[in-house]
Amino acid sequence: MQILGIETSCDETAVAVVDATPSGLCIVSNVVHSQVATHARWGGVVPEVASREHVARIVAIAEAALAPAGGLDRIEGIGVTQGPGLVGSLLVGLQFAKGIALARGIPWVGVNHLEGHLSAALLATERLRYPHLALVVSGGHSELYRVASFGAYVRLGGTRDDAAGEAFDKIAKVLGLGYPGGVAIERAAQGGDARVVALPRALPQKTNAEFSFSGLKTAAAKYVRAQGGRLEGDALRDFCAAVQEAIADVLSAKAVTQATLHGLPGIVLAGGVAANTRLRELVQERAQAHGLWAFIPEKKLCTDNGAMIAAAAAMRLHRGERGAFDAPPLSRWPLGRDAQGRIAALS
Ligand code: KG4
Ligand code: ZN
């Protein structure tokens, strides 16, 4: 059964086709148009501009994703990000999905973007194991969940202020490295020595499942100011390595501690920040040292894409869930609640 996945919650217009077979989920196509170039000169995503670019691009991106799948005739279900995200951006994908579903008489379902990120782990050849601890780290979220089975999430904690990706983005802005900041800092950190600059780790208490990145952001800005507002060469490399280490250290340490505390045998890392090589290394290393397994989707499935949305939709459509044509975009939608805000039954 071929499922069309559509993602327009922020600044990526993404459409994919995933084939759901009895032996697992398989990506047929996965096309992502990033709006980074459009938003770069503003130093961040401008919502109105993002919606307009989704409108301009979505048909061409969908056609590109459908071509290798044999066109719309072969599509039997649709998944689309319904929230959380920018309402104007979500609306473009949501109404596009409803339009196709209506015209073709096929089922569709609204997907929670965070569940989409976690569902990237379903696209691997190895079968995803439950229960596990999930850490979703993106531009808008840094959240820890206990996942009993697909769709059964209990939030253990998350950030009190900035998300991990937001911290990368804001610090990159101070350094003049451009947007998005995570990739820029990772690139600039290559060959740097993270020990040269001491940066704070917030809320280090062992059992605390919360993060805070605003102190790191302030300390980083203060350091850059003290250096005359500009870092170059080794100084830039070392500083970026220290920023990356501070974020990766806290995220990986808390994931491992929470998994152990809750008796969970493994960790799934997901979201755009999970594309960071140092974070991937530290999570793998520390999980292994504590006798835990760790699964991290391949990098291109960590950042926003349509395949992860199709994967989540395949699971939900298979259970018989169906979207309603009056379903609205949801700017906020905590994982573990249904689209009406009710606590979803744990199964
Ligand atoms: O999941 P995502 O693509 O979009 C949201 O749902 O927010 O995540 C985007 C975030 C941005 O903050 C970006 O700077 C960060 O992920 N990011 C990275 C890397 N690639 C993307 N952060 C650190 N290292 C990376 N390689
Ligand atoms: Zn995302």
Side-chain angles (χ1 to χ4, degrees):
M1 177 178 179
Q2 292 204 136
I3 311 284
L4 188 67
I6 299 167
E7 156 62 39
T8 63
S9 67
C10 190
D11 60 342
E12 262 93 26
T13 315
V15 183
V17 175
V18 163
D19 196 11
T21 70
S23 56
L25 301 174
C26 164
I27 298 176
V28 178
S29 64
N30 192 15
V31 184
V32 180
H33 165 71
S34 167
Q35 302 181 0
V36 161
T38 306
H39 299 287
R41 64 185 166 131
W42 310 106
V45 179
V46 183
E48 169 78 15
V49 175
S51 320
R52 287 171 184 271
E53 193 159 338
H54 287 307
V55 169
R57 297 283 183 160
I58 194 158
V59 172
I61 299 298
E63 281 176 342
L66 284 164
L72 258 183
D73 288 348
R74 308 258 322 268
I75 302 296
E76 292 180 73
I78 305 175
V80 60
T81 307
Q82 194 183 339
L86 303 170
V87 167
S89 289
L90 289 165
L91 259 175
V92 179
L94 188 61
Q95 295 306 95
F96 185 72
K98 288 178 188 173
I100 298 173
L102 185 64
R104 312 290 303 186
I106 53 177
W108 75 278
V109 68
V111 171
N112 182 305
H113 184 76
L114 300 176
E115 180 168 88
H117 275 303
L118 293 178
S119 301
L122 296 166
L123 293 162
T125 41
E126 73 182 86
R127 229 184 172 78
L128 182 58
R129 284 166 279 175
Y130 297 95
H132 59 248
L133 176 119
L135 171 58
V136 192
V137 272
S138 68
H141 294 86
S142 298
E143 309 282 308
L144 288 159
Y145 300 95
R146 179 161 64 79
V147 186
S149 60
F150 175 82
Y153 314 100
V154 173
R155 186 177 180 275
L156 301 175
T159 185
R160 288 186 182 177
D161 38 57
D162 292 346
E166 208 176 344
F168 270 117
D169 294 340
K170 287 179 176 169
I171 296 172
K173 201 168 181 178
V174 169
L175 289 166
L177 291 180
Y179 176 86
V183 187
I185 289 189
E186 172 160 17
R187 200 173 302 131
Q190 268 169 25
D193 182 348
R195 294 164 303 184
V196 173
V197 186
L199 290 170
R201 272 58 165 167
L203 308 169
Q205 302 89 324
K206 261 212 151 349
T207 55
N208 191 308
E210 294 191 303
F211 304 108
S212 168
F213 293 107
S214 65
L216 171 68
K217 189 182 64 187
T218 308
K222 218 167 132 188
Y223 182 86
V224 175
R225 258 200 317 276
Q227 304 298 309
R230 195 134 202 97
L231 296 179
E232 278 165 3
D234 277 346
L236 178 66
R237 268 192 285 282
D238 294 344
F239 179 73
C240 286
V243 168
Q244 178 174 263
E245 193 68 20
I247 295 174
D249 179 23
V250 171
L251 292 174
S252 55
K254 295 237 171 181
V256 167
T257 308
Q258 288 302 311
T260 309
L261 274 175
H262 291 273
L264 298 166
I267 296 174
V268 170
L269 178 66
V273 181
N276 185 273
T277 304
R278 182 60 185 145
L279 175 62
R280 298 167 78 90
E281 270 170 19
L282 270 182
V283 167
Q284 291 287 4
E285 242 174 67
R286 290 180 169 172
Q288 202 173 21
H290 286 77
L292 307 169
W293 56 261
F295 183 80
I296 313 172
E298 60 176 292
K299 289 185 182 184
K300 71 169 191 293
L301 295 177
C302 288
T303 45
D304 288 352
N305 65 86
M308 68 186 200
I309 303 301
M315 303 296 286
R316 294 204 168 264
L317 289 169
H318 182 70
R319 289 178 172 184
E321 291 184 30
R322 301 291 183 261
F325 283 116
D326 61 354
L330 302 168
S331 59
R332 287 178 45 78
W333 183 4
L335 191 54
R337 304 255 163 177
D338 66 21
Q340 282 74 44
R342 292 183 295 249
I343 296 172
L346 293 183
S347 51

